[in-house]
Amino acid sequence: QVQLQACGGGLVQAGGSLRLSCAASGSAGRFDMMGWFRQAPGKEREFVATNSRGGGNTYYGDSVKGRFTISRDNAKNTVYLQMNSLRPEDTAVYYCAARARRIIASYMGVADSYDYWGQGTQVTVSS
């Protein structure tokens, strides 16, 4: 059974950095697309970043461009999210998501495009 485990969340001060990771385990196999979404209480799920296994397709949400970086270690079936210059408004539960097959670029930031989801990890940024 496919399992995605997100970890690395925690409490940091504004301006600090944090790195999240998401590892595929069990019978997960390999996914072409892996990405990150986040959701704060009372708000809709927001696209953060996504990356394709073969390279050439990396996208970020407008609110995190220049601050967050997504990367992969394909040998470990793991995707990372390096978060720098964190702001209080980045506080949310961060979810790892994966899709087995390619999808056109205009759909890569849409939550419904992803087939599998991790349990989420809490990121809290204090002032």
Side-chain angles (χ1 to χ4, degrees):
Q1 185 65 42
V2 171
Q3 296 286 335
L4 299 177
Q5 181 177 329
C7 61
L11 175 64
V12 298
Q13 289 184 293
S17 297
L18 203 62
R19 190 175 80 156
L20 307 183
S21 63
C22 176
S25 61
S27 59
R30 294 178 174 85
F31 299 99
D32 184 78
M33 294 169 50
M34 298 186 74
W36 294 90
F37 292 77
R38 66 187 184 185
Q39 189 166 23
K43 296 185 178 180
E44 295 184 354
R45 190 164 295 185
E46 177 188 16
F47 169 67
V48 176
T50 192
N51 173 269
S52 62
R53 179 179 180 88
N57 290 297
T58 300
Y59 300 97
Y60 296 94
D62 289 340
S63 64
V64 306
K65 288 180 180 178
R67 299 189 297 122
F68 292 9
T69 303
I70 188 170
S71 61
R72 274 190 178 190
D73 185 337
N74 287 326
K76 297 181 179 179
N77 295 318
T78 300
V79 65
Y80 303 93
L81 185 69
Q82 178 67 46
M83 304 184 294
N84 298 326
S85 302
L86 284 163
R87 305 165 180 168
E89 53 263 40
D90 294 318
T91 296
V93 176
Y94 284 70
Y95 295 94
C96 175
R99 177 182 169 90
R101 304 293 298 275
R102 292 182 181 180
I103 196 168
I104 60 174
S106 59
Y107 286 91
M108 291 180 69
V110 179
D112 286 347
S113 297
Y114 295 82
D115 303 306
Y116 305 99
W117 293 84
Q119 83 285 358
T121 185
Q122 176 71 47
V123 173
T124 302
V125 184
S126 62
S127 300

